[in-house]
């Protein structure tokens, strides 16, 4: 019995999933992305569309596409979905995990047996100014203000604060970028599939310019299109194409919106979400075989190491220098390439992370497969660690 089932009385399983390629998808629309991954997930779960009791869609949008009412797009999968309640969930870059937890709560409440969770975003049709303004709309202090560096500037401020308190970070951030680019080579879904090497990622050059010191282009995740979907259930079908994956525990936490009320290096909401998920699952870091974390910028991954207790505060570089976070290390982090290489279609990210984790736990991750993968953690956040979600998943 999982910690979640013991505490909340129900066993929650992921039984099917779908995933599009991430990148500049000129031949796809938001609708085609939603329909494609949703159809794939239902089939993989061994279900028919008529078996779905609820649909939850994670999408940020904020003006990047004109259609701002997408909750019913999944009904285009099949006429059998007509009448199924469908809700769009938005919580900035954590919209996908927010949708996942919304679906979990419907299962726990007993109002649904099978929930289709989809995360999707179409970003590349909008101009850079539109995307920048949309993403800055997720920040309390900068929403509606002009900025030449957008969200990069916010995380650059975090990186500079880290340097003031703990010393230079340029080299370790370059190593994190290089790790995730190398991992992304093996991910068929990834936006960026090129091994750039440590020296390139550490060095400012014409091809790797400084965006906002100390963050270089290689420290920043790309603007991407893409979608992912999951079927979560309390009653798995024997016709599913793979073994199910169990949700062992989950947690969420929000921090204050104004920057003045937060320590930029604490990632307090991430710490709380991790503690809540780990307590529900009854696990610690040594019980985990991998982690997929929200590296929208490399400084974010470094701070997540510290927030979940992999290292002490200010000592995150140790996890890189000693090889802990590489595929053969103590806790492989972002074997998928993370947001840095896989891409970051905002609403799709949290759902994608769960799909990648599910594939690891069922031995179906292909070239990404780790030799031991019985339990993993997913971390997804919105804003500068404002909305934070953590899931602990385990093989059945």
């Amino acid at each position: 019995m999982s910690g979640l089932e013991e505490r909340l009385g129900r066993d929650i399983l992921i039984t099917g999933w779908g995933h599009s390629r991430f990148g500049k998808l000129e031949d796809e629309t938001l609708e085609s992305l939603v329909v494609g991954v949703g159809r794939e997930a239902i089939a993989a779960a061994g279900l028919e569309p008529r078996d779905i009791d609820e649909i939850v869609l994670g999408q940020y949008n904020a003006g990047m596409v004109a259609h701002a009412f997408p909750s019913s797009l999944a009904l285009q999968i099949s006429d059998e979905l007509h009448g199924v309640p469908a809700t769009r969930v938005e919580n900035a870059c954590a919209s996908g995990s927010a949708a996942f937890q919304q679906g979990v709560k419907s299962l726990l409440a007993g109002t649904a047996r099978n929930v289709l969770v989809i995360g999707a975003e179409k970003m590349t049709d909008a101009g850079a100014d539109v995307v920048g303004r949309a993403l800055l709309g997720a920040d309390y202090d900068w929403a509606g203000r002009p900025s030449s560096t957008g969200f990069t500037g916010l995380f650059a401020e975090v990186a500079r604060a880290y340097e003031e308190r703990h010393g230079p970070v340029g080299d370790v951030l370059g190593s994190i970028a290089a790790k995730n680019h190398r991992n992304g080579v093996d991910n068929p879904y990834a936006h960026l599939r090129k091994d750039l090497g440590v020296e390139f990622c550490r060095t400012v050059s014409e091809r790797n310019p400084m965006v906002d010191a100390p963050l270089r282009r290689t420290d920043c995740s790309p603007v991407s299109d893409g979608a992912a979907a999951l079927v979560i259930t309390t009653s798995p079908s024997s016709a599913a194409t793979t073994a199910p994956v169990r949700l062992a525990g989950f947690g969420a936490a929000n921090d204050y919106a104004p920057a003045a009320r937060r320590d930029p290096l604490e990632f307090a909401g991430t710490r709380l979400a991790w503690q809540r998920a780990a307590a529900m699952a009854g696990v610690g870091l040594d019980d985990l075989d991998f982690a997929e974390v929200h590296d929208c910028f490399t400084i974010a991954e470094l701070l997540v190491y510290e927030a979940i207790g992999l290292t002490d505060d200010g000592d995150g570089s140790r996890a890189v220098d000693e090889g802990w976070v590489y595929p053969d290390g103590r806790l492989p982090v972002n074997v998928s390439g993370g947001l840095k290489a896989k891409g970051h279609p905002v609403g799709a990210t949290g759902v994608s992370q769960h799909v990648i984790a599910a594939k690891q736990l069922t031995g179906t991750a292909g070239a990404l497969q780790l030799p031991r993968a019985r339990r993993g953690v997913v971390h997804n956040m919105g804003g500068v660690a404002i909305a934070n979600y953590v899931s602990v998943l385990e093989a059945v």
Side-chain angles (χ1 to χ4, degrees), residues 10 12 103-110 112-115 232-234:
R10 291 183 186 270
I12 307 297
V104 167
K105 290 173 183 177
S106 291
L107 296 177
L108 291 172
R113 289 190 310 164
N114 300 308
V115 178
I232 53 175
T233 184
T234 56

Side-chain angles (χ1 to χ4, degrees), residues 37-346:
V37 297
R39 181 176 288 135
E40 185 182 353
I42 293 170
L47 301 176
E48 298 295 333
R50 62 177 174 270
D51 298 317
I52 299 299
D53 302 309
E54 184 176 349
I55 300 165
V56 190
L57 171 68
Q59 188 222 15
Y60 178 60
N61 192 358
M64 290 184 288
V65 297
H67 185 219
F69 184 34
S71 56
S72 282
L73 290 180
L75 273 61
Q76 303 294 80
I77 293 169
S78 169
D79 289 348
E80 291 181 351
L81 289 171
H82 181 258
V84 172
T87 307
R88 174 201 171 203
V89 173
E90 184 280 309
N91 218 1
C93 298
S95 295
S97 285
F100 175 76
Q101 290 199 13
Q102 182 69 26
V104 167
K105 290 173 183 177
S106 291
L107 296 177
L108 291 172
T111 58
R113 289 190 310 164
N114 300 308
V115 178
L116 175 62
V117 179
I118 302 173
E121 209 75 61
K122 192 76 171 75
M123 303 176 72
T124 67
D125 289 348
D129 57 334
V130 174
V131 173
R133 185 166 59 249
L135 296 178
L136 274 180
D139 187 76
Y140 177 90
D141 299 292
W142 279 94
R145 295 171 59 185
S147 170
S148 60
T149 56
F151 237 81
T152 305
L154 300 179
F155 277 89
E157 289 180 2
V158 173
R160 289 192 290 270
Y162 195 100
E163 291 193 319
E164 290 174 6
R165 197 175 301 180
H166 302 301
V169 294
D171 282 356
V172 69
L173 297 187
S175 294
I176 291 171
K179 169 183 71 72
N180 291 349
H181 275 287
R182 174 62 194 87
N183 291 346
V185 170
D186 293 326
N187 186 349
Y189 303 131
H191 187 161
L192 305 174
R193 299 185 66 187
K194 186 174 183 180
D195 185 356
L196 298 178
V198 173
E199 284 309 309
F200 180 86
C201 292
R202 286 182 171 183
T203 305
V204 176
S205 66
E206 184 178 350
R207 293 174 57 213
N208 188 26
M210 190 71 76
V211 181
D212 194 341
L215 300 185
R216 298 146 297 211
R217 180 178 290 164
T218 49
D219 293 306
C220 312
S221 60
V223 172
S224 311
D225 306 325
L230 300 162
V231 171
I232 53 175
T233 184
T234 56
S235 304
S237 168
S238 60
T241 58
T242 65
V245 169
R246 175 172 288 115
L247 178 63
F250 65 94
N254 269 52
D255 208 339
Y256 297 111
R261 299 199 66 184
R262 288 179 278 114
D263 182 331
L265 307 187
E266 188 177 1
F267 272 34
T270 288
R271 291 172 191 256
L272 279 172
W274 159 246
Q275 290 164 6
R276 289 166 179 170
M280 183 182 291
V283 301
L285 282 175
D286 289 340
D287 299 308
L288 301 175
D289 298 313
F290 65 90
E292 286 289 322
V293 310
H294 193 100
D295 62 320
C296 49
F297 299 91
T298 50
I299 185 62
E301 180 169 326
L302 183 70
L303 283 168
V304 171
Y305 299 162
E306 300 176 9
I308 66 175
L310 185 59
T311 74
D312 292 336
D313 291 353
D315 201 25
S317 60
R318 183 184 177 195
V320 179
D321 295 341
E322 298 189 15
W324 298 354
V325 292
Y326 290 85
D328 59 351
R330 171 185 168 190
L331 182 68
V333 175
N334 288 336
V335 175
S336 67
L339 285 62
K340 175 77 263 301
K342 184 180 62 178
H344 184 26
V346 175

Side-chain angles (χ1 to χ4, degrees), residues 337-362:
L339 285 62
K340 175 77 263 301
K342 184 180 62 178
H344 184 26
V346 175
T349 288
V351 182
S352 168
Q353 291 174 310
H354 285 80
V355 171
I356 294 294
K359 289 172 77 70
Q360 282 288 350
L361 295 168
T362 53

